[in-house]
Amino acid sequence: MGDMGLEVVRRNNITVTGHEDGPVVMLAHGFGCDQNLWRLVVPELAERFRVVLFDHVGAGRSDLSAWDRDRYEGLDGYAGDVLEICQELELTEVTFVGHSVASMIGVLAALREPERFAGLVLLVPSPCYIDDGDYRGGFSRDDIAELLDSLDSNYLGWSAAMAPVIMGNPERPELGEELTNSFCRTDPVIARSFARATFLSDHRADLPGVTVPTLVVDCVQDAIAPPEVGRYVTAQIPGSAQVTLPATGHCPQLSAPAATAHAIADFAGRPR
């Protein structure tokens, strides 16, 4: 691996674990999170798969100096990072698992280099968070404007208020606290930019172009990506399948890790 490869590994704090010769599963975290939020599903996956984890630039232990406002203004820059990671690690036949906004990052990467991917697992995906005519994203335009204004004015306060809502499972407050702490570890300037890239994005038109096998995984109740969104994504991606986990909230890898790991492993382990 040359200097560029080491730079990519450092930039995205790449971790590789599991079965060295197994099929590749790449886990990509969502907004305000880092690779640590996958820790409860990794042990099961690592028994059969080569598991690749990383942090988006600005999250976790990524290289903050690599962040560039123009590159990461939308989700394309993050998709470019995914493809660079695959290139540097010489990964092929990758099953890409994207949580929340990372699901659309995976869609964009698969549109650019479909030959790189064996499949996509879109975990609680949303191509557009804003309601539009018959499309229900779960938020009005005013809701999103208010959310972003609140995030701008008091990021730590916003994190403490929003994380439990995103997580759901109020009877398990420790889960909301973990997400709050994860949010608070994210650089506020980068978080504001990533929030705009996330909540103002509209990738509905990209879905019909996906040509790799795709599994949509959602939860029975989710304040951020309601069930209508999962059904919409499944309907728009040709040949895709859907699994609804018996779980609530927007982070089933924490709230229902066994069911989440099983859904990923079942899909990733199928012969193509």
Side-chain angles (χ1 to χ4, degrees), residues 238-254:
S240 62
Q242 183 175 5
V243 169
T244 298
L245 301 176
T248 59
H250 196 59
C251 298
Q253 70 271 54
L254 281 180

Side-chain angles (χ1 to χ4, degrees), residues 21-269:
D21 298 321
V24 176
V25 172
M26 176 184 274
L27 303 176
H29 66 83
F31 171 80
C33 304
D34 59 31
Q35 63 183 268
N36 186 54
L37 266 71
W38 293 109
R39 70 186 183 280
L40 301 180
V41 305
V42 167
E44 180 173 332
L45 295 177
E47 292 177 9
R48 293 172 55 196
F49 303 99
R50 184 181 180 200
V51 182
V52 178
L53 300 122
F54 68 98
D55 295 329
H56 296 301
V57 171
R61 296 172 61 194
S62 65
D63 181 1
L64 296 187
S65 70
W67 188 75
D68 175 88
R69 186 179 299 277
D70 292 336
R71 176 176 173 86
Y72 298 109
E73 184 178 25
L75 300 184
D76 281 312
Y78 295 98
D81 287 356
V82 167
L83 294 175
E84 287 181 13
I85 292 167
C86 291
Q87 183 179 347
E88 291 306 326
L89 298 184
E90 298 181 348
L91 304 178
T92 56
E93 295 294 301
V94 175
T95 297
F96 178 93
V97 183
H99 171 230
S100 191
V101 66
S103 60
M104 291 305 113
I105 292 169
V107 164
L108 295 176
L111 288 175
R112 282 160 64 174
E113 294 187 21
E115 67 282 357
R116 184 76 70 176
F117 298 94
L120 297 175
V121 177
L122 310 182
L123 183 62
V124 295
S126 181
C128 179
Y129 293 87
I130 297 173
D131 298 339
D132 178 26
D134 292 337
Y135 173 80
R136 179 162 181 251
F139 299 88
S140 69
R141 199 164 290 279
D142 287 346
D143 288 337
I144 295 296
E146 188 177 319
L147 181 151
L148 293 173
D149 285 347
S150 171
L151 188 152
D152 285 345
S153 61
N154 181 0
Y155 178 65
L156 296 182
W158 178 88
S159 299
M162 276 298 291
V165 175
I166 293 169
M167 179 59 70
N169 295 275
E171 75 287 356
R172 298 161 71 188
E174 70 279 3
L175 296 180
E177 287 168 16
E178 173 165 348
L179 194 59
T180 300
N181 293 335
S182 177
F183 281 6
C184 294
R185 286 195 301 271
T186 306
D187 180 276
V189 173
I190 298 175
R192 291 183 189 113
S193 174
F194 195 18
R196 280 172 168 72
T198 299
F199 292 111
L200 297 177
S201 64
D202 184 351
H203 290 285
R204 287 177 290 174
D206 292 310
L207 300 178
V210 174
T211 56
V212 302
T214 301
L215 177 68
V216 175
V217 181
D218 62 359
C219 298
V220 290
Q221 185 180 350
D222 184 344
I224 304 300
E228 294 93 328
V229 177
R231 291 195 292 269
Y232 175 87
V233 173
T234 307
Q236 291 296 307
I237 296 180
S240 62
Q242 183 175 5
V243 169
T244 298
L245 301 176
T248 59
H250 196 59
C251 298
Q253 70 271 54
L254 281 180
S255 62
T260 303
H262 177 75
I264 295 168
D266 181 58
F267 177 78

